[in-house]
Amino acid sequence: MLIVSEEVCQEVVGRADAFGAVEAVFAAMAKGDAYNFPVIREAIGHADALYGFKSGFDKAGLALGLKSGGYWPGNAAKGITNHQSTVFLFDPDTGKIGALVGGNYLTAIRTAAASSISIAHLARKDAKVLGMVGAGHQAAFQLRAAAEQRDFEKVVAWNLHADMLPKLGAVADELGLPFEAVEREQLGAEADVIITITSAHEPLLMADWIKPGTHIACMGTDTAGKQELDPALMKAATVFTDEIAQSISIGEAQHAIAAGLISEADITPIGDVINGEHPGRTSDGEITLFDGTGVGLQDLAVASAAARLAEQSGKAASISL
Ligand code: NAD
């Protein structure tokens, strides 16, 4: 079996690789060729940790496996990342383990790929201002990936903890994009594309603040109880997602569904747009919204790419079990 370390993943998997792998698996999911198994996530009663598995099988890409990991809040004090994960890939023909792949960098790059795929397929072509809500670990990856999808001329940003914004501003600077910290209402008034990537449990953006034609990638809400948007914004928008089952239970749509503002039938898998089964945006004034919940198949897709690229470049270690 191959062993691909975190460092090697960073060396061999670029944003374009992640975009291609995740776009292909979203397309396969919408065709019924790839499916996620039920997610397991448990408080283990030790070190305040949450631990679990995300798994699935992509028949089209022949990726079978799982991502195992979770959240250890005490890690930062030990100098390591609170979120920890590892991907295990198996040979779908024999069940033998194929690769063990570090999952931390891959989680960030596959999540950024998801929102950038939504921008590529749903945002107006003439989008000029990118709005960032959130400035944590994921936000820098999100900004870099989004910046490649449209000819943005400016980034406006808001974060609850304002002291985190300069770090995101430095990323914008590297990309040659002017960066301005603004209040949320102004962000809504200016931005053509908005990414939300926070741990919020209450609406951060109200429906009245968002201008017609905006595309929103809502990426932070991945657990029951988390929330970033006014449910009325979901009602006003055309809603797309990675997986409907997750969108309505742990994604942003959970709140609009609970309030009776939208139903499951109002949500379209983004794979349908990728496959040409749904037109996506149909007018310049339409608000489009991608509810990115994060599925195990995304992890398997980028881990498969990592294993392939690491093997090709001679950077994977190999052992027999
Ligand atoms: P982080 O801890 O590095 O950053 C957290 C961010 O949320 C910061 O910007 C912080 O200021 C902000 N924040 C914290 N509490 C808040 C509150 N009550 N109101 C508003 N903002 C608040 O975390 P991260 O790794 O950047 O992850 C951000 C979010 O994205 C998390 O909720 C995480 O679970 C989620 N996530 C989603 C996916 C997915 O596939 N959709 C993948 C990875 C992470």
Side-chain angles (χ1 to χ4, degrees):
M1 94 172 154
L2 300 177
I3 300 178
V4 188
S5 68
E6 283 289 338
E7 290 70 25
V8 170
C9 285
Q10 292 186 36
E11 283 168 31
V12 300
V13 184
R15 280 187 293 279
D17 303 306
F19 187 104
V22 174
E23 190 182 48
V25 83
F26 282 167
M29 283 165 62
K31 283 188 190 148
D33 289 340
Y35 41 92
N36 293 290
F37 303 151
V39 175
I40 291 175
R41 198 161 163 87
E42 298 286 334
I44 59 170
H46 178 80
D48 276 338
L50 283 175
Y51 170 73
F53 307 98
K54 280 188 167 181
S55 56
F57 178 45
D58 175 4
K59 260 192 245 176
L62 289 181
L64 173 69
L66 62 92
K67 176 166 89 166
S68 176
Y71 187 73
W72 275 259
N75 278 4
K78 298 175 186 161
I80 51 177
T81 318
N82 287 354
H83 288 275
Q84 289 292 329
S85 63
T86 308
V87 183
F88 298 76
L89 296 173
F90 298 91
D91 179 343
D93 294 321
T94 62
K96 274 180 68 93
I97 187 154
L100 189 60
V101 187
N104 295 349
Y105 163 76
L106 292 182
T107 298
I109 202 155
R110 65 81 148 143
T111 307
S115 65
S116 71
I117 288 163
S118 83
I119 295 168
H121 287 280
L122 298 170
R124 283 175 55 144
K125 298 273 184 277
D126 60 354
K128 295 288 176 223
V129 179
L130 174 62
M132 294 294 305
V133 176
H137 180 69
Q138 305 293 331
F141 290 90
Q142 294 282 326
L143 173 52
R144 285 183 201 281
E148 291 173 344
Q149 301 310 322
R150 291 292 183 267
D151 291 326
F152 290 114
E153 293 174 352
K154 181 182 176 186
V155 178
V156 289
W158 177 87
N159 195 51
L160 179 67
H161 308 102
D163 56 321
M164 295 168 82
L165 283 168
K167 211 170 151 193
L168 191 63
V171 176
D173 208 34
E174 252 179 61
L175 298 168
L177 288 167
F179 182 89
E180 192 185 346
V182 295
E183 291 306 321
R184 285 172 285 168
E185 206 164 340
Q186 189 186 339
L187 187 146
E190 282 198 41
D192 304 308
V193 171
I194 300 174
I195 296 175
T196 60
I197 183 78
T198 74
S199 313
H201 283 70
E202 62 200 0
L204 301 175
L205 293 176
M206 305 313 289
D208 293 351
W209 302 347
I210 305 302
K211 59 181 187 179
T214 303
H215 173 67
I216 304 168
C218 179
M219 304 304 296
T221 304
D222 58 357
T223 306
K226 282 191 188 170
Q227 185 172 14
E228 296 184 297
L229 304 177
D230 178 0
L233 183 49
M234 280 252 152
K235 167 106 182 124
T238 311
V239 181
F240 301 84
T241 189
D242 41 25
E243 190 187 76
I244 290 175
Q246 285 204 172
S247 172
I248 63 174
S249 56
I250 59 170
E252 190 63 33
Q254 63 182 290
H255 306 289
I257 292 271
L261 292 174
I262 64 167
S263 73
E264 198 175 321
D266 295 318
I267 308 174
T268 302
I270 192 150
D272 281 351
V273 182
I274 297 167
N275 291 331
E277 302 288 329
H278 185 287
R281 168 179 294 279
T282 53
S283 78
D284 281 351
E286 186 177 4
I287 295 173
T288 51
L289 195 157
F290 176 66
D291 185 5
T293 65
V295 293
L297 283 168
Q298 279 172 265
D299 299 303
L300 303 186
V302 288
S304 297
R308 189 186 70 246
L309 294 165
E311 191 175 26
Q312 281 168 3
S313 59
K315 290 183 174 171
S318 180
I319 60 161
S320 311
L321 275 189

Coordinates of all heavy atoms in Angstrom, one line a residue, residues 83 107 110-111 134-139 158-161 164 197-201 204 219-220 222 226 292-294, ligand 1:
H83 N -8.3 20.3 13.8 CA -9.0 19.3 12.9 C -7.9 18.3 12.5 O -6.9 18.7 12.0 CB -9.6 20.0 11.7 CG -10.8 20.8 12.0 ND1 -12.0 20.3 12.1 CD2 -10.9 22.1 12.3 CE1 -12.9 21.2 12.4 NE2 -12.2 22.4 12.5
T107 N -8.5 18.3 3.0 CA -9.8 18.8 3.4 C -10.0 20.2 3.0 O -11.0 20.6 2.5 CB -10.0 18.6 4.9 OG1 -10.0 17.2 5.3 CG2 -11.4 19.2 5.4
R110 N -10.1 20.5 -0.9 CA -11.4 20.0 -1.5 C -12.6 20.9 -1.2 O -13.5 21.0 -2.0 CB -11.6 18.5 -1.2 CG -11.9 18.1 0.3 CD -13.3 18.4 0.6 NE -13.8 17.4 1.6 CZ -14.7 17.8 2.6 NH1 -15.1 19.0 2.8 NH2 -15.1 16.9 3.4
T111 N -12.5 21.5 0.0 CA -13.6 22.4 0.3 C -13.6 23.7 -0.5 O -14.6 24.2 -1.0 CB -13.5 22.7 1.9 OG1 -13.5 21.5 2.6 CG2 -14.7 23.6 2.3
G134 N -15.7 35.5 7.1 CA -14.9 34.4 7.8 C -13.4 34.7 7.4 O -13.1 35.1 6.3
A135 N -12.5 34.4 8.3 CA -11.1 34.6 8.1 C -10.2 33.6 8.9 O -9.1 33.9 9.3 CB -10.7 36.0 8.5
G136 N -10.8 32.4 9.0 CA -10.1 31.3 9.7 C -9.2 30.5 8.8 O -8.8 31.0 7.7
H137 N -8.9 29.3 9.2 CA -8.0 28.4 8.5 C -8.4 28.2 7.0 O -7.6 28.3 6.1 CB -7.9 27.1 9.2 CG -6.9 26.1 8.6 ND1 -5.6 26.3 8.5 CD2 -7.2 25.0 7.9 CE1 -5.0 25.3 7.8 NE2 -6.0 24.5 7.5
Q138 N -9.7 27.9 6.9 CA -10.2 27.6 5.5 C -10.3 28.8 4.6 O -10.3 28.7 3.4 CB -11.7 27.0 5.6 CG -11.8 25.8 6.5 CD -11.1 24.6 6.0 OE1 -10.9 24.4 4.8 NE2 -10.7 23.7 6.9
A139 N -10.5 30.0 5.2 CA -10.8 31.2 4.4 C -9.7 31.5 3.4 O -10.0 31.8 2.2 CB -11.0 32.4 5.3
W158 N -15.5 40.5 6.0 CA -15.9 40.8 7.4 C -15.6 39.5 8.2 O -15.7 38.4 7.7 CB -17.4 41.0 7.4 CG -17.9 41.2 8.9 CD1 -18.0 42.3 9.6 CD2 -18.4 40.1 9.7 NE1 -18.5 42.1 10.8 CE2 -18.8 40.7 10.9 CE3 -18.6 38.7 9.6 CZ2 -19.3 40.0 12.0 CZ3 -19.2 38.0 10.6 CH2 -19.5 38.6 11.9
N159 N -15.2 39.7 9.4 CA -15.0 38.6 10.4 C -15.4 39.0 11.8 O -15.1 40.1 12.1 CB -13.6 38.0 10.3 CG -13.5 36.7 11.0 OD1 -14.2 35.7 10.6 ND2 -12.6 36.5 11.9
L160 N -16.0 38.1 12.5 CA -16.4 38.4 13.9 C -15.2 38.9 14.7 O -15.3 39.8 15.4 CB -17.1 37.2 14.5 CG -17.5 37.3 16.0 CD1 -18.7 38.3 16.1 CD2 -17.9 36.0 16.6
H161 N -14.1 38.1 14.5 CA -12.9 38.5 15.2 C -12.0 39.3 14.2 O -11.3 38.7 13.4 CB -12.2 37.2 15.7 CG -13.1 36.3 16.4 ND1 -13.6 35.2 15.9 CD2 -13.5 36.4 17.7 CE1 -14.4 34.6 16.8 NE2 -14.4 35.3 17.9
M164 N -8.4 38.8 13.0 CA -7.9 37.7 12.0 C -7.9 38.2 10.6 O -7.4 37.5 9.7 CB -8.9 36.5 12.1 CG -8.9 35.8 13.5 SD -10.2 34.7 13.7 CE -9.6 33.2 12.8
I197 N -17.6 31.2 5.4 CA -16.8 30.1 5.9 C -16.4 30.4 7.4 O -15.3 30.7 7.7 CB -15.6 29.8 5.0 CG1 -14.8 28.5 5.5 CG2 -14.7 31.0 4.8 CD1 -15.4 27.2 5.1
T198 N -17.5 30.3 8.2 CA -17.3 30.5 9.7 C -17.9 29.4 10.5 O -18.6 28.5 9.9 CB -18.1 31.8 10.1 OG1 -19.5 31.5 10.1 CG2 -17.9 33.0 9.1
S199 N -17.8 29.5 11.8 CA -18.4 28.5 12.7 C -19.6 29.1 13.4 O -20.0 28.7 14.5 CB -17.4 28.1 13.8 OG -16.1 27.8 13.3
A200 N -20.3 30.0 12.7 CA -21.4 30.7 13.3 C -22.6 29.8 13.5 O -22.8 28.8 12.8 CB -21.8 31.9 12.4
H201 N -23.4 30.2 14.5 CA -24.6 29.5 14.9 C -25.8 30.4 14.7 O -26.9 30.2 15.3 CB -24.6 28.9 16.3 CG -23.7 27.6 16.3 ND1 -22.4 27.7 16.2 CD2 -24.1 26.3 16.5 CE1 -21.9 26.4 16.3 NE2 -22.9 25.6 16.5
L204 N -25.6 35.5 9.6 CA -24.6 36.6 9.5 C -25.0 37.6 8.4 O -24.6 38.7 8.4 CB -23.2 36.1 9.3 CG -22.7 35.1 10.3 CD1 -21.3 34.6 9.9 CD2 -22.5 35.8 11.7
M219 N -20.3 27.8 3.0 CA -19.5 26.7 3.2 C -19.3 26.3 4.7 O -18.8 25.3 5.0 CB -18.1 27.0 2.6 CG -18.1 27.4 1.1 SD -18.9 26.1 0.1 CE -17.8 24.7 0.3
G220 N -19.6 27.2 5.6 CA -19.3 26.9 7.0 C -20.2 26.0 7.7 O -19.8 25.3 8.6
D222 N -21.9 22.9 8.5 CA -21.7 21.4 8.1 C -22.1 20.6 9.3 O -21.8 19.4 9.4 CB -20.2 21.2 7.8 CG -19.3 21.6 8.9 OD1 -19.7 22.1 9.9 OD2 -18.1 21.4 8.7
K226 N -25.5 24.8 13.2 CA -24.7 25.9 12.7 C -25.6 26.6 11.7 O -26.5 26.1 11.0 CB -23.5 25.3 12.0 CG -22.3 24.9 12.9 CD -21.1 24.7 12.1 CE -20.0 24.1 12.9 NZ -18.9 23.6 12.1
G292 N -22.6 24.2 0.5 CA -21.6 23.3 0.5 C -21.4 22.6 1.8 O -20.9 23.2 2.8
T293 N -21.8 21.3 1.9 CA -21.8 20.7 3.2 C -20.6 19.8 3.5 O -20.3 19.5 4.6 CB -23.1 19.8 3.4 OG1 -23.0 18.7 2.4 CG2 -24.4 20.6 3.1
G294 N -19.9 19.4 2.4 CA -18.7 18.6 2.6 C -19.1 17.1 2.6 O -19.6 16.7 3.6
Ligands
NAD1 P1 -11.4 28.3 12.1 O1 -11.6 27.9 13.6 O2 -10.0 28.4 11.6 O3 -12.1 29.6 11.8 C1 -13.4 29.9 12.3 C2 -14.0 31.1 11.7 O4 -15.3 31.3 12.2 C3 -13.2 32.4 12.0 O5 -13.4 33.3 10.9 C4 -14.0 32.9 13.2 O6 -13.8 34.3 13.4 C5 -15.4 32.6 12.8 N1 -16.3 32.5 13.9 C6 -16.2 31.7 15.0 N2 -17.3 31.8 15.8 C7 -18.2 32.6 15.1 C8 -19.5 33.1 15.4 N3 -20.1 32.7 16.5 N4 -20.0 34.0 14.5 C9 -19.4 34.3 13.4 N5 -18.1 33.9 13.1 C10 -17.5 33.0 14.0 O7 -12.2 27.2 11.3 P2 -12.1 26.8 9.8 O8 -11.2 25.6 9.7 O9 -11.7 28.0 8.9 O10 -13.6 26.3 9.4 C11 -14.6 27.3 9.3 C12 -15.9 26.6 9.2 O11 -16.0 25.8 8.0 C13 -16.2 25.6 10.4 O12 -17.5 25.7 10.8 C14 -15.9 24.2 9.8 O13 -16.6 23.2 10.4 C15 -16.4 24.5 8.4 N6 -15.9 23.5 7.3 C16 -16.8 23.2 6.4 C17 -16.3 22.3 5.4 C18 -17.3 21.9 4.3 O14 -16.9 21.0 3.5 N7 -18.4 22.6 4.1 C19 -15.0 21.8 5.4 C20 -14.1 22.3 6.4 C21 -14.6 23.1 7.4

